[in-house]
Amino acid sequence: MNTRPHIRIATINDDAELRRLLRETPLKGALTVTLEREPSFFTETTDSAVALTEGRIVACGSRNVRKIYWQGQPNSSAYLADLRVHPDYRKHAGRILIEGYRLLAQAARNRPATVTWSAVFSSNQAAMRALARPRRAIPEYMD
């Protein structure tokens, strides 16, 4: 498992592979939770970055945009979600995270949002550590 992953924006053709990755990478913590997207990973407002090795998706992250009311006005909200790295590829997680966020930032320029948010289980220490370390390509996370 030493092959360096290739990172790109997902397409509808990646649907089955993305759903497989979600099943194989439950969120560990006080509770172990799988957040699956059946029958389809995609909505009309999903932009996802994926990392592939030998044709198999080994990591992903998504940006989902929804219509909201913000301060009494119609706007949009982006939710950063689905951050997963297959355990066999965790040594590449830093590079995958940075390049994936760069791709999602490009997608955000095409589909801007008034506010962007995310949620991380407090018991998911690996995610908390990865997102808390300042990196140029990663948005600032505020509790």
Side-chain angles (χ1 to χ4, degrees), residues 60-92:
C60 71
S62 298
R63 180 177 182 271
N64 300 297
V65 180
R66 300 283 188 268
K67 299 286 183 202
I68 62 164
Y69 279 87
W70 182 260
Q71 299 177 340
Q73 300 296 316
N75 281 288
S76 59
S77 167
Y79 177 60
L80 299 177
D82 307 318
L83 181 60
R84 300 290 189 286
V85 179
H86 192 279
D88 293 344
Y89 294 88
R90 297 255 161 93
K91 70 179 180 180
H92 298 288

Side-chain angles (χ1 to χ4, degrees), residues 16-136:
E17 274 286 300
L18 284 164
R19 289 183 289 118
R20 177 207 43 84
L21 180 65
L22 290 181
R23 284 189 305 273
E24 292 179 357
T25 55
L27 302 173
K28 306 237 179 187
L31 294 172
T32 298
V33 178
T34 60
L35 301 173
E36 299 177 18
R37 300 276 254 328
E38 300 293 342
S40 176
F41 182 88
F42 291 95
T43 69
E44 66 277 358
T45 58
T46 300
D47 294 308
S48 297
V50 295
L52 295 98
T53 297
E54 298 172 3
R56 183 173 180 196
I57 294 176
V58 298
C60 71
S62 298
R63 180 177 182 271
N64 300 297
V65 180
R66 300 283 188 268
K67 299 286 183 202
I68 62 164
Y69 279 87
W70 182 260
Q71 299 177 340
Q73 300 296 316
N75 281 288
S76 59
S77 167
Y79 177 60
L80 299 177
D82 307 318
L83 181 60
R84 300 290 189 286
V85 179
H86 192 279
D88 293 344
Y89 294 88
R90 297 255 161 93
K91 70 179 180 180
H92 298 288
R95 184 179 146 280
I96 290 169
L97 190 64
I98 290 169
E99 289 186 35
Y101 269 117
R102 283 189 184 132
L103 288 174
L104 292 178
Q106 290 172 356
R109 287 190 284 279
N110 296 332
R111 194 186 337 227
T114 302
V115 63
T116 299
W117 65 286
S118 189
V120 179
F121 291 114
S122 61
S123 59
N124 187 344
Q125 293 302 307
M128 298 292 270
R129 280 190 304 274
L131 296 173
R133 287 195 311 207
R135 292 183 172 114
R136 285 176 286 158

